[in-house]
Amino acid sequence: MFRFAHPQYFYLLFLIPLLAALYLWVWRDYRRRLSLFGDSGQLRYLIQEAAPYKVLAKYCLVAAAVAVLVFALAGPQVGSRLRKVKTKGVEIILAVDVSNSMLAEDFEPSRLERTKMAINKLVDGLTEDRIGLVVFAGDAFVQLPVTGDYVSAKNFVSHLSPSMVSSQGTAIGKALRVAGRSFSSQSDRSRVVIVISDGEDHDAGALDVAREMADRGIVVHAVGVGSPEGAPVSVDGEMLRDSDGEIVVSRLNEKLLQDMAFATGGSYIHATGGSMGLDQIIKQVRGMDAQELVIDRFEEYSEQYRYLVAIALILILTEFCLLDRKNRIVERMTLFHKENENTKTE
C-alpha cells in the first residue's frame, strides 16, 4: 500500500505559483529597465549573447525541483508487510445514495459532495472498527466489502458519483438488503448500517426490510441530506425535467428515514455542519458492545523520499549549469553538411 506520511507538506506547493509571479515580475522589470537604454531592435543587436528562453527554462527547472522536494517532504511510503491484527470494534456499513437527486445544491457544493467530505471525516476518526460501502440508486451493490483499510475506504468514497449505478431512482429497501448480507460477522451485535440519503424512496418495502434487520440484531441509523423545501437537480449543467417538461425539485423525505431508523433502535439525524451528523451517530456506535474483529494492517513501511531528493538535486544541478547566454560552440557545430551549389563537380 502506498501512502504519504506527512500530507500537510503539500501546502508548500503554493510556492510554485509564487515563484511564477516572482519570475514574471523580475522579467518585466528587466524589460522596463532595458527599454530605458534605447530602441528594442538596437538592443537586441547589442546583446546577441542573451538567451531569454534559457531564463524560462531555468525557472521551470527550479519550479520542478521545488515540487519534487515537496513530495519528498510529504514522506512517500510503501507498505512492506501486511499483518492480521485482532481487535475489538464494530462493523459499519455505509449505504450511500448516489441517485441524481443527490446532485441538488441545497447543500453546497452538492448533497453528494458534502456526503463524501463527511464520510472522509468519519473515516479519519476510526481506529479499531471495520467499514464497508454500499452504493444505491434504482439498484444497489457493494462498492467496498467491510475492511480495516481506511485508506482504501477513502479512495472508494472519493469516486462516488451517479454514473456508478445505471438504474436511476432511490431504492432504499434494496440497499438495506445488500448491506445486511455484507457483514463479515454473523454476530447478533456490533453491526451497524448508516443510510445517507434524501429519502426519496421509489421502492416500497424499505420499512419492512428495516424490521427484518432489527430481528437480526442489525441497527440502522439514517442521515437525511437536503431540505424539506427541496432544490432543482442539475445533471451535466442542465436542469433535470420530468415527462411534462417541468423542472424536477428534489425534497428531503424525513418521515421514511425516521421510521426506518426507529424500527431498528437506531437514530435519525438531519444533516447539518461539516460532519452532517455522522459524529453524533458514531458516539452512539461507541456505546455498543464491541466484538472481536480481525483486520489487515500494514505494520512496516519503506521510505521512498530518497529517489525524489535525487531527482530534485539533478534538476537543481542542471539549472546551475545552464547559462543565460547562447552557447557559441553549439551554434558553430554543423551536424548536417549541405554541398554548396557553386561547387564544381568533376
Side-chain angles (χ1 to χ4, degrees):
M1 185 183 70
F2 181 82
R3 72 171 189 179
F4 287 99
H6 311 290
Q8 64 271 19
Y9 282 108
F10 283 125
Y11 288 112
L12 293 175
L13 289 174
F14 287 112
L15 290 173
I16 294 177
L18 290 177
L19 285 173
L22 179 62
Y23 166 77
L24 288 174
W25 181 82
V26 170
W27 177 249
R28 287 179 178 175
D29 185 65
Y30 166 76
R31 297 291 297 270
R32 182 184 62 81
R33 291 174 180 272
L34 203 60
S35 65
L36 298 176
F37 290 92
D39 179 70
S40 59
Q42 294 179 344
L43 290 172
R44 272 197 298 269
Y45 177 77
L46 293 173
I47 53 174
Q48 295 182 48
E49 297 295 320
Y53 67 90
K54 287 191 175 181
V55 177
L56 177 60
K58 287 167 70 70
Y59 158 74
C60 292
L61 288 169
V62 171
V66 169
V68 173
L69 284 175
V70 168
F71 276 86
L73 285 172
Q77 297 176 333
V78 175
S80 57
R81 190 178 72 174
L82 187 66
R83 189 164 70 91
K84 293 189 179 296
V85 180
K86 287 187 177 181
T87 183
K88 285 192 173 183
V90 177
E91 287 196 349
I92 304 169
I93 293 182
L94 297 168
V96 182
D97 185 351
V98 294
S99 61
N100 283 332
S101 61
M102 290 292 284
L103 298 177
E105 297 178 358
D106 46 2
F107 272 56
E108 294 183 355
S110 72
R111 296 175 183 175
L112 185 57
E113 289 302 315
R114 280 286 294 278
T115 297
K116 290 157 69 171
M117 290 186 281
I119 293 176
N120 281 333
K121 187 175 180 181
L122 178 149
V123 174
D124 287 337
L126 298 179
T127 54
E128 307 298 331
D129 305 306
R130 289 165 60 88
I131 189 169
L133 182 63
V134 170
V135 295
F136 68 95
D139 203 351
F141 63 89
V142 177
Q143 176 70 1
L144 175 69
V146 286
T147 178
D149 184 355
Y150 301 140
V151 175
S152 294
K154 292 180 70 173
N155 182 52
F156 277 97
V157 168
S158 67
H159 290 90
L160 292 178
S161 74
S163 62
M164 301 177 75
V165 183
S166 58
S167 174
Q168 279 302 309
T170 309
I172 298 179
K174 289 183 180 180
L176 290 178
R177 288 191 185 280
V178 172
R181 296 194 300 263
S182 301
F183 291 101
S184 64
S185 168
Q186 297 305 313
S187 169
D188 59 355
R189 57 194 176 95
S190 305
R191 292 181 296 170
V192 174
V193 176
I194 302 177
V195 177
I196 305 176
S197 173
D198 52 30
E200 289 192 327
D201 189 24
H202 300 157
D203 178 27
L207 190 55
D208 293 334
V209 179
R211 293 191 182 105
E212 293 174 11
M213 297 180 76
D215 294 338
R216 296 168 53 197
I218 300 173
V219 178
V220 177
H221 297 281
V223 176
V225 188
S227 61
E229 300 78 19
V233 179
S234 175
V235 179
D236 296 329
E238 295 185 3
M239 292 298 176
L240 194 64
R241 297 178 182 272
D242 59 20
S243 56
D244 298 325
E246 298 294 327
I247 294 177
V248 174
V249 176
S250 173
R251 295 179 175 85
L252 172 63
N253 180 8
E254 292 187 291
K255 181 69 166 59
L256 172 63
L257 296 174
Q258 289 171 345
D259 293 345
M260 185 178 64
F262 297 159
T264 66
S267 60
Y268 167 77
I269 302 290
H270 182 201
T272 56
S275 69
M276 291 175 51
L278 288 175
D279 52 349
Q280 300 176 48
I281 292 176
I282 291 300
K283 285 180 182 178
Q284 297 180 45
V285 172
R286 291 282 176 265
M288 299 176 66
D289 292 333
Q291 61 174 309
E292 187 172 279
L293 301 173
V294 178
I295 62 175
D296 293 326
R297 181 173 293 167
F298 284 97
E299 293 292 321
E300 293 181 1
Y301 290 87
S302 58
E303 301 288 347
Q304 305 296 314
Y305 70 90
R306 301 178 187 85
Y307 305 105
L308 296 177
V309 171
I311 294 172
L313 286 174
I314 292 171
L315 291 170
I316 292 171
L317 286 172
T318 304
E319 187 277 336
F320 180 77
C321 296
L322 189 63
L323 300 177
D324 294 341
R325 305 188 310 273
K326 296 178 181 177
N327 193 321
R328 291 301 180 188
I329 297 176
V330 174
E331 284 190 347
R332 292 194 188 107
M333 292 176 63
T334 306
L335 300 179
F336 299 96
H337 295 275
K338 185 176 180 181
E339 189 174 322
N340 194 310
E341 295 178 358
N342 298 323
T343 302
K344 295 181 178 179
T345 56
E346 294 182 0

